[in-house]
Amino acid sequence: MNKKLILMLAGLGIAFGAPLTASATPESDLKEFQGYFLKKFPTVPLEAYKDGVNALPQYADRVGNWELIMDFPPFEADIEKGEELWAKPFANGKTYSSCFQNGGKGLAVGYPFYDAATKKMHTIEADINECRVRNGEKPIKNMKYGEMAQLTIAFRRLSQGQKMAVKLNSPEALATYEKGKQFYWARRGQLNLSCANCHVQNAGNKIRGDVLSAGLGQGTGFPVYRTKWSLSNKPLGTIHRRYGGCNKQVRAKPLKPQSAAYTALELYQAYMNTGIEIKSPSQRQ
Amino acid sequence: MRKSLSIVTAAAAVLLAGNLAMIPVATAGDALPTDKECGKSKPTDAATKGWCTMINRKQGNCLACHDVVTKRFPAALPASGNIGPPMVSMKARFPDKAKLRAQIWDAGVANPTTSMLPFGRHKIISESDIDNIVTFLYTI
């Protein structure tokens, strides 16, 4: 490859084997992305990535601590609260189950998705709110933590242990996927780092005291209960809350949860997680 | 003899791992200041000022990615990251001062796929901060 071409690719924010070439399809992206990690961490099988950073050999000296925490998971109360909220009838007597096919069972593996009838992208959080509004309730305002995160846990647990299988079966879904992919690989913020700089190029490396998790599997464990977030008394967080945190870290402006850009990013990550099980919620550092 | 040899071997092993910085310094008075001490003592010499910029999380935050290998490393400083190579024998390895400065000003010139921040180009720290850091790095 000549130097000019390398520079050009770098300008697009592309490196380490996930080129935005015209011939790249989501299928070839997927193969390349998963292949990169399976080669980088030969002892970590695909299914292990649902455990985030805990799956990486570079985290081995701390994983015992995580296992200890898992003996008495700090998120038990949030699971219960989520189930309670999920089952509680609205003023009209209906429940959340009534809004979803099959009561919501097994659906989380296909989120987010584009729906031709409503002509928009659907996330779990947005659909939970839509269900509320359709039944005469006010939408939940906080899309980062609290009740929305608890309800999302309840919804995702209806697919617990099932493998992610997002479909990109419309031009709109494909266009959204491309936007998410651009977002993932583009440098941003004053610190000029892309998601991939940290979670692809440096997965397993230490940034100060933190081991960087692999981009593969990110999201399968959400919402997560985070020790760092518990310091501010809001330990539970949705995936878009986390995106905001990772944007802030590079001194980029965090976007609103449920913004089109974050939903596209979630779609890209969810598609990259094809074949990895949902394990919600999870505990993280 | 035997004992001191094993200490030397241990030290060498640690050095190889790029972790010499973790060895407690023998003469505490000689140690570089911690972030807190930097704030209190307001150093005036360029090298110490550079060090203080390097370790401050809101400024250089170099230790997020690099270990600094010096006997004067303060024991109280938290662990360093390993995204970038450990900083060791900088003067010997960068005989051209301008090259060292350029690496800090914009690492993307030498390596377009770098994950090091463009400290000068993006004005993350000031030009004189960068000069001070170079001065400090030449002392190790």
Side-chain angles (χ1 to χ4, degrees), chain A residues 106-170:
Chain A
L107 296 188
V109 297
Y111 272 90
F113 65 91
Y114 179 83
D115 169 51
T118 50
K119 289 202 173 66
K120 62 178 184 192
M121 286 297 302
H122 287 248
T123 62
I124 293 172
E125 291 85 351
D127 278 1
I128 284 173
N129 260 348
E130 204 168 304
C131 178
R132 295 178 59 87
V133 172
R134 220 188 292 160
N135 285 289
E137 304 283 329
K138 282 203 185 101
I140 294 171
K141 279 215 182 95
N142 193 325
M143 304 299 262
K144 289 195 206 164
Y145 46 80
E147 289 198 350
M148 183 52 85
Q150 289 163 337
L151 278 161
T152 304
I153 291 175
F155 185 85
R156 297 199 80 223
R157 284 173 72 83
L158 295 172
S159 308
Q160 192 79 326
Q162 294 182 40
K163 291 175 177 169
M164 287 299 292
V166 163
K167 288 208 175 70
L168 302 171
N169 51 5
S170 68

Side-chain angles (χ1 to χ4, degrees), chain B residues 52-66:
Chain B
C52 288
T53 304
M54 283 180 64
I55 62 171
N56 186 289
R57 285 172 192 246
K58 297 211 168 88
Q59 298 175 30
N61 199 16
C62 312
L63 273 56
C65 298
H66 295 277

Side-chain angles (χ1 to χ4, degrees), chain A residues 3 6-7 10 14-16 187 189-193 197-198 201-202 204-209 212 251, chain B residues 55 57-59 61 63-65 78-83 112-118 121-124:
Chain A
K3 200 159 180 188
I6 295 177
L7 281 172
I14 310 310
F16 2 103
R187 292 179 186 265
Q190 190 189 28
L191 303 195
N192 201 43
L193 293 172
N197 278 136
C198 284
Q201 191 179 18
N202 284 300
N205 284 343
K206 270 195 305 191
I207 185 159
R208 189 78 68 161
L212 287 160
R251 301 185 191 159
Chain B
I55 62 171
R57 285 172 192 246
K58 297 211 168 88
Q59 298 175 30
N61 199 16
L63 273 56
C65 298
S80 311
N82 60 3
I83 288 178
T113 64
T114 188
S115 43
M116 176 156 157
L117 324 177
R121 183 164 64 84
H122 272 211
K123 299 186 165 56
I124 298 167

